[in-house]
Amino acid sequence: KNGADPRAPTSYTDLTSTLPLEEGWAIRLRKYQGFWFPQQILPGSMAMQQNFKARPDDVFVLSHPKSGTTWLKALTYAIVTRTKYPFDRHPLLSQNPHECVPLMDRSYSTGQDSEIEAMPSPRILNSHLPYSLLPHSIKSLDCQLIYVCRDPKDVLVSRWFFNNRMRSEGMEPIPFTKAFEMFCEGNSPYGPLWEHVLEYWEESQRRPDKVLFLKYEEMLEEPMRIVKRLAQFVGCPFTPEEEKEGVVEEVVKLCSFDKMKSLEVNISGKLRPEFVTNDAFFRKGGAGDWRNHMDPEMARKLDRVTEQKLEGSGLTL
Ligand code: A3P
């Protein structure tokens, strides 16, 4: 009904259809509690918010989309399962990271939440909800949260490409200048980006042992350091023997952009029949592609918005 997934709970679908609408992104967005959500997924997010029951040993990978979620999921999964599977027969070689670490928002919107309940502990789960909207039990149980953010200019470019890939047949491409304006106004999927990032940043300052705040760019610069930090954070640090044997390098290599992009499952596989092929999650994979899509004046404008929004927070992006 109204473009929401037909398997989502009806009452949330009805509520969704009453919310403010943004139609410029090739998918419909609805504004709920200060953030813009894809209409198709929002009833599921609402159901999750109400019904999800966390376990104390759950680990959550959280992000504003297009910030490096796929990579962070792969790394966290590879770290936690490293003694269970040999690297040359690892599930990440035949499954997309989104299959290994499910997006809870999506599972709830497609009526597949029982699969999340059936997962053995320790679970690694993913959500794009802002911190303020996370299910209560995640906070009350003090679960480990890992958040990744990225230069907003690259998030915008990545999002623009992704939504143009997702648009239905016959639909005009989204002009970049229009995407730019909507993004700067905060009218973008899971936007405003700055509020999303700030909520997790502030929580990571309050509870650094429970909220690990990462930047995509630092992951690119020092993947080995980040992998070791991640392992420590989720309670399974690398032993000196593992470090000597090169296990940290193995994790980095398995999850590297070139490796993931080259796998058959990530070339022609699909998460759902009606969805884009998985290669859409592995586009360019670096920092600074915004230079190919924005003139210096646009970049300055977006940087100014970022500076203003983050002023006084101690965070720079
Ligand atoms: P680009 O579109 O700039 O290439 P998300 O996973 O949150 O949707 O973010 C997608 C971005 O992460 C895309 O950026 C994608 O190419 C990049 N990405 C995906 N897998 C990666 C990996 N293993 N290493 C580095 N970047 C990766």
Side-chain angles (χ1 to χ4, degrees):
K1 195 199 262 183
N2 297 317
D5 195 297
R7 292 159 292 187
T10 318
S11 55
Y12 295 124
T13 306
D14 289 344
L15 173 55
T16 295
S17 66
T18 65
L19 299 171
L21 176 67
E22 167 63 67
E23 296 195 273
W25 284 96
I27 53 165
R28 290 179 154 193
L29 304 180
R30 296 282 184 174
K31 196 171 198 178
Y32 177 60
Q33 303 199 0
F35 292 89
W36 288 100
F37 293 88
Q39 169 171 289
Q40 209 196 21
I41 213 172
L42 180 55
S45 301
M46 291 172 173
M48 172 178 78
Q49 219 188 348
Q50 289 301 315
N51 303 318
F52 175 73
K53 296 213 170 21
R55 300 176 196 158
D57 56 358
D58 285 340
V59 172
F60 293 91
V61 172
L62 303 152
S63 64
H64 180 288
K66 312 328 290 174
S67 303
T69 324
T70 314
W71 189 16
L72 183 60
K73 283 186 185 197
L75 288 172
T76 310
Y77 185 76
I79 289 166
V80 171
T81 61
R82 69 185 186 269
T83 54
K84 205 166 155 193
Y85 307 110
F87 285 103
D88 59 352
R89 272 174 288 137
H90 199 277
L92 282 168
L93 296 171
S94 53
Q95 288 173 42
N96 176 271
H98 299 286
E99 293 175 85
C100 298
V101 179
L103 174 64
M104 295 194 291
D105 318 38
R106 170 70 60 197
S107 306
Y108 274 82
S109 72
T110 53
Q112 287 165 311
D113 41 305
S114 57
E115 286 177 21
I116 298 221
E117 274 161 39
M119 282 171 73
S121 293
R123 299 182 296 188
I124 309 171
L125 298 168
N126 165 231
S127 174
H128 291 311
L129 285 182
Y131 184 78
S132 55
L133 298 191
L134 282 186
H136 177 69
S137 62
I138 297 180
K139 299 174 187 174
S140 62
L141 289 175
D142 239 6
C143 298
Q144 301 293 110
L145 313 184
I146 310 165
Y147 184 78
V148 63
C149 68
R150 187 184 191 188
D151 180 338
K153 301 191 291 304
D154 283 333
V155 173
L156 162 62
V157 168
S158 187
R159 168 55 72 184
W160 176 68
F161 273 104
F162 195 75
N163 279 44
N164 275 329
R165 271 290 296 273
M166 280 201 302
R167 74 188 199 276
S168 7
E169 228 174 285
M171 197 184 262
E172 287 293 308
I174 310 159
F176 185 77
T177 47
K178 185 170 174 211
F180 177 86
E181 290 307 327
M182 291 189 291
F183 190 86
C184 288
E185 291 294 318
N187 304 339
S188 55
Y190 295 90
L193 171 125
W194 307 274
E195 276 75 349
H196 201 287
V197 174
L198 274 176
E199 285 191 0
Y200 282 100
W201 169 249
E202 282 160 12
E203 202 52 31
S204 76
Q205 302 293 102
R206 268 194 292 274
R207 299 191 293 135
D209 51 332
K210 292 291 166 187
V211 185
L212 179 62
F213 188 94
L214 300 174
K215 292 181 180 172
Y216 179 79
E217 292 77 13
E218 67 177 355
M219 291 166 64
L220 286 175
E221 264 168 43
E222 292 183 281
M224 298 260 296
R225 180 177 69 80
I226 298 295
V227 164
K228 285 192 252 182
R229 179 81 190 86
L230 271 169
Q232 202 180 33
F233 184 76
V234 298
C236 52
F238 291 92
T239 62
E241 292 72 41
E242 282 183 309
E243 292 205 23
K244 236 184 352 242
E245 286 163 13
V247 180
V248 182
E249 284 91 340
E250 290 281 3
V251 168
V252 170
K253 221 162 62 189
L254 173 67
C255 302
S256 72
F257 182 78
D258 290 339
K259 177 74 188 174
M260 297 251 111
K261 194 179 168 69
S262 72
L263 299 169
E264 193 49 45
V265 63
N266 294 328
I267 295 171
S268 55
K270 277 186 175 197
L271 294 178
R272 303 184 297 285
E274 77 279 16
F275 204 52
V276 291
T277 40
N278 290 339
D279 65 319
F281 292 105
F282 306 91
R283 190 186 64 89
K284 208 154 180 183
D289 190 36
W290 59 266
R291 288 191 181 83
N292 299 315
H293 303 280
M294 277 178 223
D295 60 35
E297 196 187 326
M298 288 170 106
R300 266 198 303 277
K301 179 174 168 186
L302 184 41
D303 281 341
R304 260 201 311 276
V305 175
T306 300
E307 278 158 29
Q308 279 165 5
K309 294 270 196 177
L310 302 188
E311 202 184 339
S313 68
L315 174 67
T316 51
L317 283 178

